Amino acid sequence: MRVMTLISKKIEAVQGDITTLEIDAIVNAANTSLLGGGGVDGAIHRAAGPELLRECRTLGGCPTGEAKITKAYKLPSRYVVHTAGPVWRGGKKEEDTLLKNCYLNSLSLCQQNKIKTIAFPGISTGVYRFPKERAAQIAVTTVSGFLKNNTFPKKVIFVCFSDQDLLIYQKTRNYSGNHG
Ligand code: AR6
């Protein structure tokens, strides 16, 4: 972790590799099969080892916008929350709502499993081409709202793979004006 930005008391953004975080849960930007892929999904499966895929095979996939939880095996986190983000198709195919659901359903698993700390990558902002600023705005707004009304998680970290992605979250903090 090189750079950290506080978005609110319970939300921070960092630049780094999500697979290195010693935290209760990390979120995987998966696909509906839950059987692995490229990007952050590939990195998580590589770092967790083959047992993660074995558990994922038992889950029967994950519809877009929903989330499922597994153990984290060789990763330094305790759990992996797998969510399937929407593919960006121009913005009129409910992409915003589906992305919001990814965050809400992942956070609900924290409430259910009493998970205190969770880290999100920029779901859908890689291969799935969701515009990054728009995605960050949805992520910050949705997480802020959830934290106000629930006891878990206690802390949320947005993990940005590049410095440029971190800059987007820093700007989002300024726009949202949320410091609660
Ligand atoms: N740590 C943090 N962020 C990362 C890392 C990492 N190690 N690696 C990539 N990112 P993507 P998607 C960022 O493409 O758009 C897979 O094949 C990356 O820079 O991983 O939801 C799945 O199986 C980007 O900002 O996920 C699906 O088929 C963000 O993570 C599909 O890709 C998400 O990029 C999902 O596409």
Side-chain angles (χ1 to χ4, degrees):
M1 283 313 129
R2 283 187 288 162
V3 195
M4 190 274 274
T5 299
L6 213 56
I7 295 177
S8 75
K9 274 182 209 148
K10 293 180 174 178
I11 305 176
E12 59 188 57
V14 298
Q15 185 276 325
D17 177 351
I18 201 165
T19 64
T20 65
L21 262 61
E22 292 177 32
I23 191 168
D24 292 333
I26 63 170
V27 177
N28 182 13
N31 57 58
T32 55
S33 79
L34 296 187
L35 298 181
V40 73
D41 194 4
I44 286 172
H45 275 274
R46 267 195 304 280
E51 281 177 299
L52 179 60
L53 182 58
R54 207 170 301 147
E55 185 175 355
C56 283
R57 282 206 186 100
T58 68
L59 299 177
C62 178
T64 303
E66 294 189 15
K68 298 205 175 171
I69 190 165
T70 65
K71 292 188 279 183
Y73 301 98
K74 289 183 183 158
L75 285 160
S77 61
R78 286 172 56 213
Y79 299 102
V80 179
V81 171
H82 306 260
T83 187
V87 177
W88 179 258
R89 292 197 172 91
K92 293 184 176 155
K93 300 279 182 196
E94 306 211 321
E95 293 95 326
D96 289 349
T97 307
L98 290 167
L99 185 63
K100 181 175 180 165
N101 289 347
C102 289
Y103 285 94
L104 284 179
N105 288 319
S106 298
L107 293 164
S108 293
L109 286 172
C110 296
Q111 181 70 20
Q112 283 164 35
N113 293 281
K114 299 196 175 2
I115 288 169
K116 287 188 185 156
T117 53
I118 184 165
F120 285 93
I123 298 162
S124 286
T125 63
V127 177
Y128 284 178
R129 303 181 318 274
F130 203 108
K132 289 190 173 192
E133 286 81 4
R134 188 165 173 150
Q137 194 68 59
I138 291 168
V140 172
T141 308
T142 306
V143 168
S144 301
F146 189 94
L147 292 178
K148 284 201 187 95
N149 299 310
N150 293 275
T151 45
F152 291 93
K154 308 286 184 199
K155 174 153 247 175
V156 174
I157 301 176
F158 293 116
V159 184
C160 305
F161 211 33
S162 70
D163 290 335
Q164 229 158 0
D165 289 353
L166 180 63
L167 213 59
I168 292 172
Y169 278 90
Q170 289 169 336
K171 284 181 189 153
T172 304
R173 172 190 58 157
N174 295 336
Y175 294 148
S176 74
N178 188 315
H179 303 288

